Amino acid sequence: MRASASHVLVVAAFVALALNGCGGPPRRHEPVPLTLETVDGHALAATLWPVETPSPPGVVLVHMLGADRDACRVLANHLQRSGMAVLAFDLRGHGA
């Protein structure tokens, strides 16, 4: 992935986390499936674990080689219970 595309992906992830805190608390705690689009039009599957606090701290989890975002599920659930919004996404060629 080119440097500019990775920068856009990181910015998109933080925007998704920031928007989670806007307009009041989310209505549910269940993980929310998302699709992130890179600047070159590639779709990346993602999952957001929202929290009920407005403007929560957030973290972006990136899986290791040979895995996908589901490998982050246990850690994401733990971080969510700690009050953090969590976004995990599949790198190109991994997962969905």
Side-chain angles (χ1 to χ4, degrees):
M1 186 184 296
R2 298 182 323 229
S4 61
S6 63
H7 289 134
V8 170
L9 179 60
V10 169
V11 170
F14 281 111
V15 167
L17 289 173
L19 289 176
N20 180 50
C22 297
R27 296 182 182 170
R28 60 182 187 166
H29 291 284
E30 295 85 25
V32 179
L34 302 171
T35 301
L36 305 176
E37 187 175 333
T38 64
V39 292
D40 60 350
H42 189 79
L44 300 175
T47 303
L48 175 67
W49 285 262
V51 293
E52 287 194 12
T53 56
S55 302
V59 63
V60 177
L61 300 178
V62 181
H63 61 79
M64 296 177 61
L65 184 64
D68 61 19
R69 71 185 186 283
D70 287 333
C72 302
R73 185 170 301 279
V74 172
L75 178 57
N77 287 327
H78 175 73
L79 293 171
Q80 181 191 41
R81 283 191 304 272
S82 298
M84 298 183 82
V86 181
L87 179 72
F89 64 95
D90 290 335
L91 295 171
R92 289 181 187 222
H94 299 265

